[in-house]
Structures are given as C-alpha cells and as structure tokens.
Amino acid sequence: MNIINTKRSKKNISFWISTLLIFALLLPTIGHAGAVDLRGEIFEAGADELSWDATNWNFMFADPNDYTSWTERLYYEDSEDGSNGPLGVGNHTIDAGELIYSAKPYDVLFGLTLNEGIVVGETGMYSGFPFQQGYYVAVNSDATTIAPVLFEYYWPEDVTTLAVGETFDLGAGYSIVCNQIDVEGNKVWLSLFKDGDELESEIIDTRTENGSLFVARDDFGGQEDAIYFTTYVDALFQGTSDSFVKLQYTWLIDKDDVRTITTEETFGVFECTKAEADEIVFENSNAISLKMDGVTYLTDDMYLYTSVDNGYAGPTGGFNIFPAITMSSPGFYEMRGEIFEAGADELSWDATNWNFMFADPNDYTSWTERLYYEDSEDGSNGPLGVGNHTIDAGELIYSAKPYDVLFGLTLNEGIVVGETGMYSGFPFQQGYYVAVNSDATTIAPVLFEYYWPEDVTTLAVGETFDLGAGYSIVCNQIDVEGNKVWLSLFKDGDELESEIIDTRTDNGSLFVARDDFGGQENAIYFTTYVDALFQGTSDSFVKLQYTWLIDKDDVRTITTEETFGVFECTKAEADEIVFENSNAISLKMDGATYLTDDMYLYTSVDNGYAGPTGGFNIYPALGVSIETEDTEFIEEEVTTYEELDNSTASMNETSEDVIEIDESDSHEDSNSSTMASTTEDAPGFGIVLSILGLCMAIGYSRRR
C-alpha cells in the first residue's frame, strides 16, 4: 500500500506549533501586547444555534493544511426542555445544557509514514486531540486518555546526529543515547532513558527499512501496548576515529504525564457529560444569566461578551454576542481572521470575523473596516482556487468608512453638541480616529473622552487638568454667586480658547472649541459640560462631564497618492477610503504572504485535501507576541511584501528583528472611558498595543 498517495498530507501539531514559535521570533515589526484577547465571530442573538470553531475563533487549534483538525467547538443550542426559549431580544438566559464545548480526536500521519511510506505501528497514524487550550495525543485513539507531545521531528530535513556515547535530550527527562555502532556500520545500539533510567533498548539493523525503526511501547494511562516513542535510523557511519548515527522522524509523548478524562470533570461553568473514545463533551451545569453590555465569565479567562439589548446593537435589532479568551502568558498569538476555503468569487473579513478590526459590540454600524478578495472579470488568472494562487491587481481591497457616534452629552442628557449632536468615528488601519467634519480624508486621533455620566473631572479654582499631548483645561475663576465659571483650554502653555460658562441654562453650560485645521473649516475639536459649581467660603470648584478632545495638530490627510504595503489608495472621499493591491500577488502556499510589515495572508498547501471540498485554505492574520525580559531573538528569513515585483509579485526572503517588550506591560481596563492614540502618522498598519481592537472597542463602547 502506497500510503503517501492514499493518505492526505498532514502537517502535525508539533510542526505547526514550532512554526508559530518561529513566527513569534521572526515576524517583521510584529505586534506586542501585555495581554491579548482572542475574540470569536460576532453573532446577533436570535437563532436557535450559534457556533464557534477553529474557522471563526482563533483561540481554537487549526492546522491550516488539514480541515479534519478543526475538531474543537463551542456552541449554543436552544433546548426544547429549556424554560427560557432561544437567546434573543428580552431573553438573556442560557438554560442548563445549552452551552456546549466538544472536542474530537483526528488522524495524523506519522512523519515517517507520510514522507517515506514506512508504516509506524499498525496504521501509520496517531490521533491528535486539540482540547481546552492545549494539544495532545489521544493514546490508542482514545480521547479519554491524553498525553502531551514532547518532541517531534516531522520532515526529512529534521535530523539528529549522535556520536557513539552521545546523549540527545528530548525534554521532560527523556533522552536517547547512541551506545555502539558495529564494525561493519550496519547496526546501531540505541537506548531511551527517563531521568537516567533505561526505558527501552534496541539494536537497529539498517539493511531493511522497517529494521531501521525503533519503536517503544508500554502500558500507561489505562491503555495497553501504546506507542509513546519512535525514531528512524537514516544513516550510520563507522570510521577509523569517528562513528555516528543520523536519526529522523523522532516522536515522543510523555507517558508519565497522562490525563484521564471522566464524566466527573468540571471546568468553569461546565461539567463533562460525555467522555468516550471518539468525543469529549462539556455542558453548562446551571443556567447562565448573561451580563448585558459586559462580560460573563465561563472559566477564569474565557468569557462571553454581550452587547446592550436596546433594539439598535445588532443589524436586525437584536443584541450581539461573542466568546473571547484573555491570553497573558508569554508566547506568540496569531490574530487570525476566519478561515475560508478558496474557490468563491469573493472572500470577506470585517470586524465580525476578524478581531484585528475595530468593533464596538453595541453598534453594528461601527463595523466599517473590511478586507476582501473579489475576483475581477478583467483579471488574467480567474478566481483563487485549486491551481490558481495569484491575486490579480485590484482584487484585494481594504476599505473603511466613517460612522455616526453620538456625543456622550447628547446621548445621556439630550443636549445637542454642535449641529447634529454627533461626530464621525473612523476605524482605519489599526487605529481609531475621528473624521473631521465627517470627512474621511481628514482624520485626527481622539485624545480624551469622558462618555458616561459617572465620568467626572473636579477642578478647584486655579487647578489644571491634563488632557494629553500638551492639552489642558484650567478653572480660572468662579463668580461669587456660584452661577458662572471661567474656563480656558491650553496647548503647551498657550491659551487656545477661553469661555465664561453660565450654568443657569443647559446649553449655556457647554464649552465648545472650534478651529480651522486640516483643510476643514470651523470644526469642533474640544467640548466639555459644566455639571455643577460650588462657591464656598474657603473652597470653590467645578465639576466637568462629557469632556471630549481630538488633536487638531495631529491631523492626517488621506489622498489617492498614499500607499501601504502592497496597497495603493484608489478612492479618497468623504464617505469612504479604499486601497487595492497595485500589482499581482503570488501567494506562498503552505506559508505567509505579507501584505504590510505585520499583516499577512496565510495559505495552506494545495494538495486536494486541505479544505473540506479539496481546495486550499486561506486567512488573513497579524502576529502579536507577549515576551519576557530574557526572550532571545534570532534572525531568519521571512517572506515580506517588499519583494513583490511588478508582474507576478513573486516572494523572496528578508528579515527584521522583533522588538522586545516587558511582560509586565498592562492593558487599559475594559471599562475605561479614555483612549490614547497608538497609531503613527505614516501610512500603514502600526503596532497594536494593549489588547488591540477588543478592549479598545469595549472601552469605547457606545449605546445608540
């Protein structure tokens, strides 16, 4: 049987994890964070079932080259026996047993079997098992008995060379030793050790392929005669002074670190309701009352976020919901968009299915950023799919539109700020801006915003409050009757605006600063509201609410002359900004093709087996790493966008170092009502700080 031809080509977990770890060290201008929230796809509640798996929640394991590895799933399923009916408008309760986490093992070819056609064990396969934020092997294909992979060399180029008497460390106390090589150079004596004790010993005769295979079995975890170690002798050398062996396809699981899963297990709100060889299932043991406009924790770090239920949050008036998990351990995290199988005329990613993009969960109109592939009739290569790995010029589009945001004062008090009571929010290229005078070609970062009534600044007479970037507000005087206050706005010590506020009328309590800037006339850049005054015998102070400020001196003007990465601006108008790839992009199969310094498309192999219908898989991503102070960095070659030529955009290799951050860097509280600008003036996707888009969105959440 020719297993190479009859079994699907699979990259196993060890290779994929090692690839991600390499990415963590090698990605040019990679994003950094003190913590990362990995968000699942945003759904509007109302359906009988909501489902998240590896395709639409990048917390879950996915081997891009093998859709059968996408076996983890979290889903809500309305139960006929439930007392509350399906989630939706007015119903915020998940009945017991309606929230389910399930995981199944899947087949993985041993590297030796895949690459050389030599069957390891009875089938040439082991069972991979993504489970609860880890990756395991289901021992003897039984999901109730799992062990971690300690070591795996999967590809022919992965070789261990051992001289006679030399030891190779495999991790967790395991090691392999080359004891002797016979004088004719045909046989080698190998031993496997754990903490200095010999576990297995074998004399390998290399004159036959199967004879070159060293396999160790044992009874462990309630399983009998299970394989836990294998290696393959590729070559022997017996010289006059030196003797060594070359080992390939070494694979090891830790038989002393086995987890047995039973129906007695619980984690967070879940209890195990099925523990069988082919599947593990956990369900919520009690009803879950969702916290609207907030977080409902399922485990210590995994939660459901639900928007307000006000009739406006979702596209059809329902509330929005998504799962997320906070990752704070040092390591590499891929902000992955939804995985699609190539073949359709259009593939689209926006805030709902790629958490790199900004999303206010309470306002679906904020989901205005979009990256999409659209096959062009004028293209020379046809739609992406089997055999076609080229994106023609103009077929990969990034677009962004401004959207209306009510000022906090207008929303909460009904007092109209400016002409409409609204400003134009503008998520754009990994930043959040205001479109000045609702014109997307002129954008400025938000420096300060107090959006809710409880956000109050109290200033004594003569006191200054720092607003950021050199801006400050000063309480100069309060009149003796306690009705009027004299306020001044400063920038770098220079007074910009000064106003005497009469609090006896609502609109009179409003301080608004306007100016001509960025080519826009009479644009609002600052506002604050005097909530209360106090004039005492010894103390006098003012309470300010709904303070809002953009930086009028840090304005970016977008024109059709701009480029970033492979993109050029093809539309720069008040209602929309559009960038398209200027040249054809030849996708690197089974690898990353960079679009900017830190954003890339990842494409699987195109071997007829990667996707559910035989096509190849594709998704956009941005890498984010959390590092410790002693993280070591190495230089390697990675594919970047800069090597795209003018015709086929074929990719070459280049490298950049990763910038180290301190693990102790913390992100802003998700309920914070201020947001500091973290973007650069130069075109392009900058570095994401803090928790990237999610907490920015939650902290900047708006009720319409």
Side-chain angles (χ1 to χ4, degrees):
M1 178 176 66
N2 189 335
I3 292 183
I4 295 179
N5 291 331
T6 59
K7 297 293 184 182
R8 63 175 55 93
S9 173
K10 299 180 183 226
K11 266 190 183 177
N12 67 356
I13 177 59
S14 296
F15 174 79
W16 186 238
I17 287 179
S18 65
T19 300
L20 293 183
L21 291 175
I22 291 172
F23 275 1
L25 299 178
L26 310 182
L27 284 176
T29 327
I30 196 170
H32 297 78
V36 177
D37 276 41
L38 303 180
R39 184 185 76 212
E41 184 168 0
I42 302 173
F43 289 120
E44 184 177 14
D48 289 341
E49 183 173 324
L50 307 171
S51 180
W52 298 272
D53 58 23
T55 64
N56 64 350
W57 188 12
N58 61 325
F59 152 68
M60 292 184 170
F61 173 82
D63 178 351
N65 289 333
D66 183 6
Y67 76 94
T68 69
S69 72
W70 310 342
T71 61
E72 281 187 286
R73 187 174 172 224
L74 177 73
Y75 59 102
Y76 161 80
E77 188 172 54
D78 180 53
S79 171
E80 294 181 357
D81 299 328
S83 57
N84 289 283
L87 278 180
V89 175
N91 177 31
H92 311 148
T93 300
I94 298 175
D95 290 316
E98 291 186 337
L99 190 63
I100 302 108
Y101 168 84
S102 66
K104 298 179 180 180
Y106 72 101
D107 294 335
V108 183
L109 284 170
F110 281 100
L112 179 61
T113 306
L114 171 67
N115 296 292
E116 310 297 339
I118 300 171
V119 178
V120 179
E122 291 71 35
T123 64
M125 295 183 288
Y126 65 88
S127 293
F129 189 57
F131 182 65
Q132 292 183 354
Q133 206 172 326
Y135 187 90
Y136 302 86
V137 166
V139 181
N140 279 348
S141 299
D142 187 340
T144 67
T145 309
I146 61 177
V149 179
L150 288 179
F151 190 92
E152 185 160 32
Y153 271 178
Y154 199 78
W155 302 109
E157 58 269 25
D158 301 325
V159 177
T160 303
T161 302
L162 288 178
V164 171
E166 190 175 359
T167 298
F168 182 68
D169 181 25
L170 297 168
Y174 290 86
S175 60
I176 188 167
V177 177
C178 175
N179 299 303
Q180 292 183 37
I181 296 174
D182 74 331
V183 293
E184 296 178 355
N186 295 321
K187 299 178 182 179
V188 59
W189 174 20
L190 298 175
S191 293
L192 178 68
F193 286 82
K194 171 73 181 288
D195 297 329
D197 297 325
E198 186 178 75
L199 302 178
E200 297 284 342
S201 184
E202 191 79 29
I203 296 175
I204 307 297
D205 190 335
T206 61
R207 286 173 290 190
T208 63
E209 287 182 341
N210 285 347
S212 299
L213 183 58
F214 179 10
V215 176
R217 297 174 179 263
D218 202 357
D219 299 338
F220 58 94
Q223 301 291 330
E224 296 181 357
D225 198 34
I227 296 175
Y228 68 94
F229 170 79
T230 179
T231 193
Y232 179 75
V233 177
D234 175 55
L236 293 176
F237 176 78
Q238 177 65 277
T240 56
S241 58
D242 296 313
S243 302
F244 58 83
V245 60
K246 282 191 172 182
L247 303 178
Q248 288 179 307
Y249 307 115
T250 303
W251 178 90
L252 173 68
I253 62 173
D254 194 345
K255 71 183 184 72
D256 297 324
D257 184 18
V258 175
R259 178 178 172 184
T260 302
I261 303 168
T262 71
T263 53
E264 297 179 358
E265 287 208 17
T266 63
F267 77 100
V269 302
F270 299 97
E271 63 180 0
C272 185
T273 58
K274 178 182 178 181
E276 298 180 7
D278 63 339
E279 187 178 26
I280 304 296
V281 176
F282 285 79
E283 300 177 359
N284 62 307
S285 51
N286 298 301
I288 300 171
S289 181
L290 296 173
K291 180 181 179 181
M292 306 311 291
D293 193 20
V295 167
T296 303
Y297 275 92
L298 307 176
T299 69
D300 286 340
D301 51 9
M302 183 171 66
Y303 57 88
L304 291 174
Y305 191 94
T306 39
S307 71
V308 292
D309 187 6
N310 61 358
Y312 298 103
T316 66
F319 65 86
N320 301 310
I321 184 170
F322 59 84
I325 186 165
T326 301
M327 314 297 286
S328 57
S329 299
F332 172 78
Y333 302 97
E334 186 181 55
M335 307 294 287
R336 185 179 73 217
E338 185 167 0
I339 302 173
F340 289 119
E341 185 176 14
D345 290 339
E346 183 173 323
L347 306 171
S348 180
W349 298 273
D350 59 22
T352 64
N353 63 351
W354 188 15
N355 65 325
F356 152 71
M357 292 183 171
F358 174 85
D360 178 350
N362 288 334
D363 184 3
Y364 75 95
T365 68
S366 72
W367 310 340
T368 61
E369 282 188 286
R370 187 175 173 222
L371 177 72
Y372 60 101
Y373 161 80
E374 189 172 55
D375 180 54
S376 170
E377 293 181 356
D378 300 328
S380 57
N381 291 282
L384 278 180
V386 175
N388 176 30
H389 310 148
T390 300
I391 298 174
D392 290 315
E395 291 186 337
L396 190 63
I397 302 109
Y398 168 82
S399 65
K401 298 178 181 181
Y403 72 100
D404 293 334
V405 183
L406 284 172
F407 281 100
L409 180 61
T410 305
L411 172 66
N412 296 291
E413 310 297 339
I415 300 172
V416 178
V417 178
E419 291 72 35
T420 65
M422 295 184 290
Y423 64 88
S424 293
F426 190 56
F428 182 64
Q429 291 183 355
Q430 208 167 324
Y432 186 88
Y433 302 87
V434 166
V436 181
N437 280 349
S438 300
D439 187 340
T441 67
T442 309
I443 60 177
V446 179
L447 287 179
F448 191 92
E449 184 163 29
Y450 271 179
Y451 199 77
W452 303 110
E454 58 268 25
D455 301 324
V456 177
T457 302
T458 302
L459 288 179
V461 171
E463 191 176 359
T464 298
F465 183 69
D466 181 24
L467 297 169
Y471 290 86
S472 59
I473 188 168
V474 177
C475 176
N476 299 302
Q477 290 184 37
I478 297 174
D479 74 332
V480 293
E481 295 178 354
N483 295 320
K484 299 177 182 179
V485 58
W486 174 20
L487 299 175
S488 294
L489 178 67
F490 286 82
K491 171 72 182 288
D492 297 328
D494 298 325
E495 187 178 75
L496 301 178
E497 298 283 343
S498 184
E499 190 80 29
I500 295 174
I501 308 297
D502 191 334
T503 62
R504 286 172 290 188
T505 63
D506 284 339
N507 285 348
S509 299
L510 183 58
F511 179 10
V512 176
R514 298 175 179 260
D515 202 357
D516 299 339
F517 57 95
Q520 302 290 330
E521 296 181 354
N522 198 34
I524 295 175
Y525 69 95
F526 170 79
T527 180
T528 195
Y529 179 74
V530 177
D531 175 55
L533 293 176
F534 177 78
Q535 176 66 274
T537 55
S538 59
D539 295 312
S540 302
F541 58 84
V542 58
K543 282 189 174 183
L544 302 178
Q545 288 180 309
Y546 307 114
T547 304
W548 179 89
L549 172 69
I550 62 174
D551 194 345
K552 70 184 184 74
D553 298 323
D554 184 17
V555 176
R556 178 177 170 186
T557 302
I558 303 168
T559 70
T560 52
E561 296 179 358
E562 287 205 19
T563 63
F564 74 97
V566 303
F567 299 96
E568 63 180 0
C569 185
T570 57
K571 178 182 179 182
E573 298 180 6
D575 64 339
E576 187 178 27
I577 304 297
V578 176
F579 284 79
E580 300 177 359
N581 62 307
S582 51
N583 298 302
I585 301 172
S586 180
L587 295 173
K588 179 181 179 182
M589 306 311 291
D590 195 19
T593 303
Y594 277 85
L595 308 176
T596 71
D597 283 340
D598 51 7
M599 183 174 69
Y600 55 89
L601 289 175
Y602 195 94
T603 40
S604 71
V605 292
D606 187 5
N607 62 356
Y609 297 104
T613 66
F616 66 85
N617 301 311
I618 184 171
Y619 61 84
L622 181 127
V624 182
S625 64
I626 301 173
E627 290 125 18
T628 57
E629 293 183 357
D630 57 352
T631 301
E632 294 182 1
F633 300 101
I634 57 176
E635 292 188 359
E636 285 284 347
E637 294 182 343
V638 294
T639 307
T640 71
Y641 73 87
E642 294 175 338
E643 282 72 43
L644 291 164
D645 63 31
N646 292 328
S647 55
T648 62
S650 60
M651 309 303 291
N652 291 317
E653 309 258 312
T654 157
S655 66
E656 287 190 40
D657 286 341
V658 178
I659 304 170
E660 183 178 355
I661 66 163
D662 194 311
E663 181 190 359
S664 63
D665 289 354
S666 60
H667 58 274
E668 293 292 332
D669 189 298
S670 63
N671 292 320
S672 172
S673 53
T674 64
M675 180 180 68
S677 172
T678 61
T679 58
E680 299 293 335
D681 292 339
F685 287 85
I687 299 304
V688 185
L689 298 179
S690 189
I691 321 179
L692 300 158
L694 177 63
C695 277
M696 179 171 71
I698 295 172
Y700 227 52
S701 185
R702 305 280 188 266
R703 288 195 181 93
R704 291 184 57 190

